[in-house]
Amino acid sequence: MGIHVGVLAVQGDFEKHIKAVRKCQPKAQITEVRTPEQMDGLTHLIIPGGESTTVGLLLERYGLGEAIQNAAKAGLPIWGTCMGMIMMASSVAGRDQYSLNLLDITVERNAFGAQVHSFEEEMQITGLHEPLMAVFIRAPIVTEVGEEVEVLATINDKVVAVRQGNRLGTSFHPELTDDTRLHEWFLSWS
Ligand code: GLN
């Protein structure tokens, strides 16, 4: 069976993820996910960067959040980048916002400070052999991790990539570079 990648497309930079998936898996079927029905038959789901407050409201309102949670329970590999990781976190420091509760972590939003809207940094990440150029845009960091969570990458001791079983969370935006190794790695999960 071929792979069928869903990219959550209610808001945010989903198009760049679609391009990255096409580049590394030209034969993959790709669905822009906006309704619960569009979760059917997916082999992977990517939740892109964007604005977590807005996306949380939309996920809750249209039952899409519940569909994602059910698919996750059934073992679907899910990867959240930046806002996507915020949505997957079980809690957001200092805020009471909608959560998919798929990663046992606490995140802090916009954690690199108001002045530091974006930056790039070369970084080692477990799962890839060579370092990766990571692009951070008003990025969150992970401030607490549960027992089942593996830390994959840190920057100045701040956790910026985690894995819990079939679920991956990254603070940065791999879809904004030409390097598709992280997409390839995630799409190899089943
Ligand atoms: N700062 C955004 C939020 O907290 C996330 C930014 C991003 O996804 N690039 O929702």
Side-chain angles (χ1 to χ4, degrees), residues 4-64:
H4 181 180
V5 185
V7 181
L8 188 73
V10 293
Q11 191 262 346
D13 82 329
F14 53 90
E15 276 165 6
K16 294 267 170 43
H17 272 293
I18 292 172
K19 267 197 194 141
V21 172
R22 272 216 189 96
K23 188 173 163 197
C24 63
Q25 290 278 353
K27 292 196 182 131
Q29 188 181 343
I30 303 175
T31 296
E32 294 184 10
V33 175
R34 297 190 178 86
T35 66
E37 295 72 36
Q38 287 166 330
M39 289 293 298
D40 290 349
L42 298 183
T43 59
H44 297 80
L45 176 70
I46 296 175
I47 307 179
E51 201 47 56
S52 56
T53 318
T54 311
V55 172
L57 286 173
L58 296 170
L59 290 187
E60 198 172 13
R61 190 169 306 162
Y62 300 113
L64 193 48

Side-chain angles (χ1 to χ4, degrees), residues 166-180:
N166 255 354
R167 302 168 192 172
L168 175 66
T170 56
S171 296
F172 50 94
H173 291 264
E175 76 286 6
L176 295 182
T177 67
D178 289 334
D179 183 350
T180 55

Side-chain angles (χ1 to χ4, degrees), residues 96-164:
D96 182 20
Q97 67 182 64
Y98 179 80
S99 157
L100 290 168
N101 201 2
L102 299 179
L103 287 171
D104 185 12
I105 57 173
T106 300
V107 295
E108 186 185 328
R109 289 176 63 185
N110 304 318
F112 290 95
Q115 284 88 354
V116 191
H117 269 212
S118 70
F119 64 97
E120 293 180 15
E121 185 143 331
E122 194 169 67
M123 179 184 90
Q124 199 68 48
I125 177 165
T126 307
L128 302 183
H129 299 295
E130 302 291 328
L132 160 130
M133 186 58 82
V135 179
F136 294 83
I137 303 171
R138 298 179 57 228
I141 56 168
V142 179
T143 54
E144 283 170 56
V145 295
E147 258 170 38
E148 286 168 25
V149 177
E150 182 191 356
V151 171
L152 301 180
T154 57
I155 276 193
N156 304 331
D157 294 328
K158 292 175 170 172
V159 175
V160 293
V162 292
R163 176 178 185 173
Q164 183 174 357

